[in-house]
Amino acid sequence: MKMLHRIKQFFLAHEPMRHPRWELIIMRVVLALLAWDMHSNWTASYKDPVQAVQLMVTNAQHADVMESSQPKPNGLGLLVDFSFLSNDRIEKRLRAVTAASLLLYIVGVPSVISLAIPMFFCLGVATLKNSQGFIGHTAQVLHLALLSVWLAGAWGWWRARQGKPLPWDFTQGQFEADITRQSIAAGYVVSGITKLVFSQGTWFSSAKYLPLHIVKNTEMKYLDAVNPTALKHDWLPQLMMEHPLLCQLLFGAALPLELFAFVGLYNRRSAALFGIALIAFHESVTQLMSLSFIFNKALLLVFFVAPWWWLFGRKPTSLPTIPLASQA
């Protein structure tokens, strides 16, 4: 009983995460860089830092929103026609303002100001693309994080005007990080519930059919560019069909991780545990199906795992303090 109590306290003791200023700066930089990927696709070369930086600059100059109408309005597209974003004059100006705004966000300008245009531009373009009759969710978690930070910034600004403190006596930066972490966890919980609803509770048992999706995805990758590397795992579906329990254990285990992702909000330890487990799951899907999940992995690494805190968090004086324009 004592051991169970200790385990419960270790993972379920509520300890608000009070990020030091230097850690908040890391969060700002990563979120800004990921948001800029929407305009440069630099993450395609994230393993080559030099090439990635070049893409941040060169690709953004030639980026172009090709969709000029919303034939199948989706999400916010049911309320707003975002096709005006494909107008080159508007698009180029918004992209320039977005770049400047993200730089201002990095140096500490309040998110309610600095993320307003980047958030609107990203959500607008994504809605326009998802209103073409097919849905993509590659950057869903990133857009959710942007929206969460901006809303937390707006609410924090309103509380400050009223002279009221933030929950748990958080600073503004800590509060934004906490809300963003909650939104990411909520996204996983909703995903888990959706799997249960659409599979009518048979997600674990139906996971054995995943090899069929792997075959389909592999052939699509190969035929799209006649790329032989897409077939490097063509032996795996057969192995998994011969051992269906392997599929159920590997992919069925993701369901409880998603359903109980909120446990990662209790403290640093539970956050790291769920962050590492979810990153491992995403990486396994990457290896099997060539789906990167780069935004999910990056945000989980920054907002949940935070390896730098485990290495340096107890020695804040060993790192330089970098002043921000606003309280972090």
Side-chain angles (χ1 to χ4, degrees):
M1 293 298 293
K2 287 184 177 181
M3 180 61 70
L4 289 176
H5 178 72
R6 289 180 180 178
I7 294 175
K8 180 180 177 181
Q9 286 297 107
F10 189 80
F11 289 111
L12 300 181
H14 183 219
E15 301 169 7
M17 301 180 208
R18 305 189 187 281
H19 304 283
R21 180 165 295 197
W22 59 266
E23 189 177 17
L24 293 173
I25 294 174
I26 292 175
M27 292 176 174
R28 283 176 175 255
V29 171
V30 171
L31 186 60
L33 289 177
L34 293 178
W36 189 240
D37 179 77
M38 296 292 95
H39 309 281
S40 61
N41 195 33
W42 67 266
T43 57
S45 299
Y46 74 94
K47 294 182 180 180
D48 184 346
V50 175
Q51 178 67 17
V53 172
Q54 291 176 346
L55 291 178
M56 289 181 196
V57 178
T58 58
N59 275 8
Q61 296 176 3
H62 306 290
D64 189 20
V65 177
M66 303 301 296
E67 296 78 8
S68 58
S69 65
Q70 294 183 172
K72 301 288 183 178
N74 176 261
L76 291 175
L78 295 171
L79 303 174
V80 180
D81 184 355
F82 289 99
S83 58
F84 70 92
L85 294 176
S86 64
N87 183 307
D88 287 345
R89 292 178 60 187
I90 297 175
E91 179 188 351
K92 291 183 183 301
R93 290 175 181 176
L94 281 177
R95 185 165 289 113
V97 174
T98 292
S101 297
L102 291 175
L103 289 174
L104 292 176
Y105 173 67
I106 288 175
V107 301
V109 173
S111 59
V112 67
I113 298 173
S114 57
L115 285 187
I117 295 300
M119 178 197 65
F120 165 77
F121 197 22
C122 281
L123 290 179
V125 171
T127 300
L128 180 59
K129 290 182 179 296
N130 277 349
S131 297
Q132 304 304 310
F134 53 90
I135 305 297
H137 61 276
T138 301
Q140 182 184 37
V141 68
L142 173 60
H143 295 155
L144 182 61
L146 280 173
L147 179 61
S148 299
V149 172
W150 186 84
L151 288 175
W155 198 73
W157 171 81
W158 177 249
R159 295 284 290 183
R161 284 182 60 88
Q162 293 180 318
K164 297 180 180 179
L166 293 170
W168 310 108
D169 289 325
F170 279 145
T171 65
Q172 181 60 42
Q174 291 168 345
F175 178 64
E176 291 175 7
D178 188 70
I179 294 298
T180 302
R181 195 160 34 247
Q182 290 184 47
S183 70
I184 294 172
Y188 279 107
V189 173
V190 170
S191 175
I193 293 174
T194 302
K195 287 181 173 66
L196 284 177
V197 172
F198 279 88
S199 67
Q200 298 182 335
T202 63
W203 176 259
F204 183 80
S205 60
S206 61
K208 61 186 177 183
Y209 300 115
L210 186 71
L212 299 177
H213 295 283
I214 295 178
V215 170
K216 181 181 70 174
N217 190 71
T218 298
E219 290 183 352
M220 287 176 59
K221 290 282 185 180
Y222 173 73
L223 295 175
D224 184 53
V226 193
N227 182 7
T229 60
L231 302 177
K232 63 180 179 180
H233 295 304
D234 59 352
W235 54 271
L236 187 59
Q238 181 62 37
L239 175 65
M240 299 178 79
M241 284 188 283
E242 292 174 356
H243 303 279
L245 184 59
L246 178 63
C247 289
Q248 292 173 302
L249 291 176
L250 180 60
F251 294 97
L255 182 60
L257 276 178
E258 291 183 329
L259 289 174
F260 294 97
F262 62 87
V263 175
L265 303 175
Y266 279 95
N267 54 54
R268 291 269 191 178
R269 298 177 296 277
S270 60
L273 175 67
F274 273 81
I276 292 172
L278 286 167
I279 289 174
F281 168 69
H282 285 311
E283 181 59 25
S284 67
V285 175
T286 297
Q287 295 302 319
L288 293 174
M289 304 181 70
S290 300
L291 302 174
S292 71
F293 289 103
I294 184 66
F295 300 124
N296 296 68
K297 294 174 188 174
L299 291 172
L300 286 168
L301 181 68
V302 172
F303 286 93
F304 283 76
V305 181
W308 36 81
W309 186 87
W310 294 99
L311 293 173
F312 308 112
R314 293 181 176 83
K315 301 176 182 179
T317 56
S318 64
L319 291 172
T321 300
I322 303 177
L324 292 178
S326 63
Q327 184 183 26

